[in-house]
Amino acid sequence: MNELILELSEINPREFFGHHNVNIELIKKYYPQLKLVARGNKIKVFGDDERLEEFEQRFQMLMDHFSKFNALDENAIERILTSQSKADYDAPISSGDVLVHGVGGRLIKAQTANQRKLVELMNTNDMVFAIGPAGTGKTYTGVALAVQALKNKQVRRIILTRPAVEAGENLGFLPGDLREKLDPYMQPLYDALRDMIAPEKLESYIEKGTIQIAPLAFMRGRTLDNAFVILDEAQNTTHPQMKMFLTRMGKNAKFMITGDPGQVDLPKRAISGLKEALLVLKDIKGIGMIYLDDKDVIRHRLVKKVISAYKAIENQD
């Protein structure tokens, strides 16, 4: 009798094995000729070589499914262990307008007409500007599209960036390493990622550089190939910053630029690079632009009223 040791990498074993190892017990029923022992993040399998080879392939399929959908249940186990091919069990992640199967099996979709239009624009253009007030889901939808592209292996990495206006892009005086310095500015991006990627997987992606979160100043001199890149809070870029960022685009790259022209934090005399780009690039083929409004707000119901109230006084001369 031979032994095979399989290790769960970047996967929470308790979630994968199920409560009281219910998933492991179910898997055992499909392989009565093998002896399975789950302990920690490893599973030991005993049996003959031919059976062990088949089990290793199927177990990898189970892990791939969990990594993609952040869930594993009885139906998925049955489909995977009895299917003849990957196509028989693996429904495309875009089915039913689902962008990402988030943590705990949460279904993340575009929830409004404009958000769905944003998804369509991103599918048909390599660069998209998503403009709208706070709470319209532009950043969240963008991160979901980036995670979808990474999971579907359409890109090799995700790069998220924001202009750190409050610190004047000079973060050296803050304590901690680069990531700790940036955390206060990047929290909305982290929040979205935590909804969509399991903690162990997310930490591994960040450590390996598969997901990179950096201030806009750190984009200078780079060529961003095979990446889904999101520039958030783009209304706080200057002309040179926006031009620098847009010209970083490399091969097989997707660029999304999100921002709210009504919330510019730049010095009074500075021109927003976002406002300028919207005028300069509006007629270029391959660049999409979508304007979201208060009808797309999916936060608390009061947010819509706050936006409307401020819009009324801002439109007064």
Side-chain angles (χ1 to χ4, degrees):
M1 185 175 289
N2 297 311
E3 178 184 359
L4 172 68
I5 300 177
L6 299 170
E7 183 175 352
L8 297 179
S9 177
E10 302 167 2
I11 290 176
N12 186 316
R14 280 185 289 182
E15 293 180 8
F16 184 86
F17 292 153
H19 187 59
H20 295 312
N21 282 354
V22 63
N23 290 340
I24 290 297
E25 295 303 318
L26 181 59
I27 293 170
K28 286 180 179 179
K29 293 179 180 179
Y30 288 92
Y31 291 92
Q33 305 92 340
L34 300 177
K35 180 182 178 182
L36 279 66
V37 179
R39 189 166 297 158
N41 69 333
K42 295 181 180 179
I43 181 168
K44 290 184 179 181
V45 193
F46 302 90
D48 62 68
D49 279 343
E50 185 177 346
R51 286 288 183 180
L52 289 177
E53 184 179 351
E54 179 192 346
F55 181 84
E56 183 176 14
Q57 293 174 351
R58 294 287 174 167
F59 195 79
Q60 183 62 53
M61 292 161 70
L62 290 170
M63 289 194 294
D64 290 344
H65 178 91
F66 187 90
S67 294
K68 187 174 183 180
F69 296 103
N70 289 307
L72 187 65
D73 57 22
E74 181 178 349
N75 292 331
I77 292 171
E78 180 182 6
R79 287 199 310 272
I80 293 169
L81 297 185
T82 61
S83 63
Q84 297 298 313
S85 67
K86 189 174 187 292
D88 290 339
Y89 77 85
D90 192 17
I93 200 166
S94 58
S95 63
D97 294 326
V98 175
L99 299 177
V100 176
H101 288 71
V103 174
R106 178 180 181 181
L107 303 182
I108 296 173
K109 305 179 180 181
Q111 298 187 43
T112 70
N114 278 332
Q115 288 176 12
R116 288 190 287 272
K117 186 176 179 181
L118 171 56
V119 172
E120 292 171 7
L121 279 176
M122 206 69 239
N123 288 334
T124 55
N125 296 274
D126 287 336
M127 182 181 292
V128 171
F129 287 78
I131 310 303
T136 51
K138 53 191 184 295
T139 299
Y140 197 83
T141 304
V143 173
L145 286 167
V147 172
Q148 181 192 57
L150 182 65
K151 288 191 173 187
N152 286 349
K153 299 182 179 179
Q154 296 168 341
V155 296
R156 295 178 187 168
R157 54 186 173 157
I158 295 172
I159 298 172
L160 308 175
T161 186
R162 299 177 96 186
V165 169
E166 294 84 351
E169 293 275 349
N170 180 14
L171 305 176
F173 68 90
L174 292 175
D177 59 22
L178 176 60
R179 183 175 165 190
E180 290 169 335
K181 295 174 192 289
L182 290 174
D183 275 355
Y185 305 99
M186 303 299 183
Q187 277 307 312
L189 303 175
Y190 279 119
D191 290 344
L193 288 169
R194 290 187 187 109
D195 279 355
M196 301 173 199
I197 304 175
E200 293 86 355
K201 191 80 170 179
L202 178 57
E203 192 65 30
S204 174
Y205 277 154
I206 292 174
E207 287 179 1
K208 293 177 180 177
T210 304
I211 294 179
Q212 301 173 22
I213 302 175
L216 185 56
F218 282 68
M219 297 297 106
R220 190 173 303 278
R222 301 182 65 184
T223 300
L224 305 177
D225 295 322
N226 299 303
F228 197 115
V229 187
I230 299 176
L231 169 58
D232 196 33
E233 299 289 342
Q235 73 274 5
N236 290 327
T237 60
T238 61
H239 163 88
Q241 287 175 327
M242 178 61 79
K243 182 180 178 183
M244 178 273 292
F245 172 77
L246 296 178
T247 54
R248 300 306 94 201
M249 195 173 199
K251 297 177 181 177
N252 190 39
K254 288 276 192 178
F255 270 39
M256 179 178 287
I257 301 94
T258 70
D260 176 7
Q263 289 190 342
V264 177
D265 297 316
L266 294 169
K268 288 185 178 180
R269 294 184 179 180
I271 298 174
S272 168
L274 175 63
K275 291 181 178 180
E276 184 181 54
L278 293 173
L279 292 172
V280 172
L281 306 176
K282 63 181 180 180
D283 296 323
I284 295 181
K285 188 176 181 180
I287 298 179
M289 296 183 181
I290 173 73
Y291 292 83
L292 299 95
D293 55 34
D294 53 359
K295 293 189 293 294
D296 299 295
V297 172
I298 54 176
R299 293 180 182 173
H300 193 283
R301 58 184 176 79
L302 288 178
V303 175
K304 290 185 180 181
K305 296 182 180 180
V306 169
I307 292 172
S308 296
Y310 273 92
K311 187 186 293 182
I313 64 170
E314 288 166 356
N315 288 338
Q316 293 175 358
D317 293 326

